[in-house]
């Protein structure tokens, strides 16, 4: 059991809790673990704020390491339901539905892509979730062991962009669903409703986020089962045959990139939601519960979206696109996107109850955005000492304002631009995984290679030059292999139809960064000795 300093009634200790320059508490023991009571100790503005919010149960801890004796949340089911709820949402449904109208795939090939790519995508999430109990550190702080104290700031910036960007995209989708049900509710109102609900949960922190996610999957699951039952009863499913040739290869790879990016997107948050688990918690059990929360959920919801999307009709070659109407599902998708597609399933047979189902799915975005906004605050604290001295809940509030400020104008003007941009920067996750997993396996050689006591000591952590250089090589790989609306790389263009290409950006980003890291890190260790 770790030993941390005892605090006397005056707010001082053997390791001194005198206020730092920016008001945050100093580290309390030789491993850098900070006792929970230290956040409200002292006469600084920071301490006064923390004491006040602590009365209401707001989590006071930010990126500071959790002492072993405060890691008491032994309920591993919460780890599973955390990811179960975060993915039992309309955003997952939308990923599966892309297979038909966007990538023109058949049912079987798209289904196989969903199954196998998701199993690959979630593996890093499950893996890094096991680090939380062992070290009591958040994911971005753990990343200092690979990218160094200063290099990790670049990673944190990408994570911040991802958190804010995807929160904006998600909340727009939810607001569109609400607007589809009741056109009297303007887009900005729907965005604010979902954002405020998310803020109320994430503001209170780790425990309340887990409590909400423990139950929030239930109504969403019931609605999805209603959608499944009604669609199966309708008999409208079409078993679209699998394509062949280069175009098929390109379409499968591009759809796989979308599926992989969505599933692996939780990697940069993974350890954030297990840091209060006991240090001796079985890593295998943490991995398993994370897997059970992610894999069945993503596969089920994305496959449901795929199945319903098989009803989508492409206009015949001899029919003018503007004049083409199509069936009720096609009309719904063309007029209101995923909301229209879902509405075509449940509103005609169920009427107002079908509309209620859509509202439930719109509010499921709250569960999807909770990890984004909670982890956003932690990533902001990693940037500098002054940002760490700002209490986590304040960053949560400011982050909410930021993504609302993007989503409200984006609702009417640049939603597609915003979504394409988010897909474009998503390749950074493959680079992050290429560096961190390679370092863990080849250089740290497992968990025994980490000295947790140096996590906040820049002079003892890796310099980070090797990781940043490898990151740049990963960017090169992503650019070479991507096939996005804005750009198709030279390698991506050679796969499938040259007009659309085939996306191998994730694969090349991972490979380029991993190989480059082996070379650069070997040199860095010889020169720097750490």
């Amino acid at each position: 059991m770790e030993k941390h300093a005892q605090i006397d009634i005056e707010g001082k200790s053997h390791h001194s809790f005198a206020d730092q320059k920016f008001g945050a508490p100093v580290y309390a023991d030789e491993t850098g673990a900070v006792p929970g009571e230290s956040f409200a100790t002292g006469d600084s503005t920071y301490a006064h704020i923390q004491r006040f919010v602590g009365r209401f149960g707001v989590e006071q801890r930010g990126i500071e390491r959790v002492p072993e004796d405060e890691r008491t949340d032994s309920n591993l089911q919460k780890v599973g339901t955390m990811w179960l709820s975060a993915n039992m949402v309309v955003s997952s449904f939308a990923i599966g539905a892309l297979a038909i109208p966007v990538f023109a795939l058949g049912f079987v090939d798209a289904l196989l892509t969903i199954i196998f790519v998701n199993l690959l995508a979630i593996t890093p999430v499950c893996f890094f979730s096991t680090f939380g109990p062992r070290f009591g550190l958040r994911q971005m702080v753990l990343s200092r062991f690979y990218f160094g104290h200063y290099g990790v700031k670049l990673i944190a910036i990408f994570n911040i962009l991802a958190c804010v960007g995807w929160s904006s995209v998600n909340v727009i989708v939810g607001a569109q669903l609400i607007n589809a049900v009741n056109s009297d509710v303007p887009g900005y109102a729907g965005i604010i409703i979902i954002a405020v609900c998310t803020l109320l949960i994430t503001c209170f922190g780790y425990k309340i986020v887990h409590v909400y996610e423990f139950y929030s999957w239930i109504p969403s699951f019931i609605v999805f089962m209603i959608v499944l039952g009604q669609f199966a009863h309708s008999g409208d499913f079409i078993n679209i045959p699998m394509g062949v040739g280069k175009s098929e290869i390109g379409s499968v790879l591009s759809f796989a990139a979308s599926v992989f990016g969505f599933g692996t997107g939780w990697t940069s948050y993974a350890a954030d939601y297990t840091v209060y688990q006991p240090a001796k918690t079985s890593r295998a059990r943490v991995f398993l519960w994370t897997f059970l929360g992610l894999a069945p959920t993503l596969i089920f919801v994305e496959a449901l979206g795929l199945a319903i999307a098989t009803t989508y009709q492409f206009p015949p070659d001899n029919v003018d696109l503007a004049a083409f109407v199509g069936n009720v599902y096609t009309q719904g998708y063309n007029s209101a996107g995923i909301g229209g597609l879902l509405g075509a399933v449940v509103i005609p047979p169920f009427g107002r109850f079908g509309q209620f189902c859509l509202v439930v799915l719109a509010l499921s975005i709250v569960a999807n955005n909770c990890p984004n906004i909670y982890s956003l605050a932690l990533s902001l604290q990693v940037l500098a000492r002054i940002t760490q001295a700002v209490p986590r809940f304040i960053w949560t509030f400011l982050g909410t304002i930021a993504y609302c400020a993007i989503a409200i104008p984006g609702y009417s003007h640049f939603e597609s631009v915003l979504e394409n941009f988010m897909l474009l920067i998503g390749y950074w996750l493959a680079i992050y995984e290429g560096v961190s997993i390679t370092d863990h396996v080849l250089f740290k050689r497992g968990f025994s290679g980490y000295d947790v006591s140096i996590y906040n000591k820049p002079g003892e952590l890796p310099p980070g030059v090797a990781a940043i250089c490898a990151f740049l090589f990963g960017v090169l790989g992503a650019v070479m292999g991507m096939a996005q609306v804005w750009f198709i790389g030279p390698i991506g263009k050679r796969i499938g139809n040259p007009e659309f290409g085939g996306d191998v950006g994730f694969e090349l980003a991972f490979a380029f960064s991993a190989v480059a890291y082996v070379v650069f890190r070997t040199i860095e260790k010889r020169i720097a000795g750490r």
Side-chain angles (χ1 to χ4, degrees), residues 71-76 79 132-133 206 273-279 281:
R71 294 180 225 163
T72 57
D73 184 11
S74 57
N75 185 353
L76 279 173
V79 178
Y206 182 96
Y273 303 97
T274 56
V275 291
Y276 287 98
Q277 292 285 332
T281 302

Side-chain angles (χ1 to χ4, degrees), residues 84-234:
L84 168 60
S85 290
N87 292 282
M88 187 69 70
V89 294
V90 70
S91 302
S92 305
F93 179 94
I95 291 294
L98 291 176
I100 308 299
V102 175
F103 298 105
L105 292 172
F107 177 73
V108 173
D109 47 342
L111 180 62
L112 291 174
T113 302
I114 287 171
I115 293 172
F116 290 107
V117 172
N118 270 310
L119 294 179
L120 177 65
I122 66 172
T123 300
V125 188
C126 301
F127 175 65
F128 284 112
S129 292
T130 68
F131 283 59
R134 178 65 179 266
F135 299 122
L137 292 173
R138 310 289 189 167
Q139 189 65 43
M140 284 295 100
V141 180
L142 280 166
S143 303
R144 290 175 178 171
F145 289 101
Y146 320 122
F147 290 87
H149 186 85
Y150 301 104
V152 79
K153 300 178 192 300
L154 173 64
I155 303 305
I157 289 172
F158 273 94
N159 206 34
I160 290 165
L161 290 174
C163 291
V164 173
W166 281 119
S167 294
S168 302
V169 171
N170 293 338
V171 80
I172 288 172
V173 172
Q176 287 173 337
L177 274 173
I178 294 174
N179 182 259
V181 171
N182 185 352
S183 59
D184 292 333
V185 180
Y188 72 85
I191 288 170
I192 292 172
I193 290 169
I194 297 171
V196 169
C197 292
T198 306
L199 174 63
L200 291 175
I201 296 164
T202 54
C203 185
F204 285 91
Y206 182 96
K207 290 183 180 179
I208 302 302
V209 169
H210 270 289
V211 169
Y212 180 77
E213 304 282 13
F214 193 82
Y215 298 104
S216 66
W217 64 273
I218 298 173
S220 298
F221 177 69
I222 291 172
V223 170
F224 279 131
M225 290 302 293
I226 291 172
V227 171
L228 173 61
Q230 172 56 33
F231 184 68
H233 178 72
S234 72

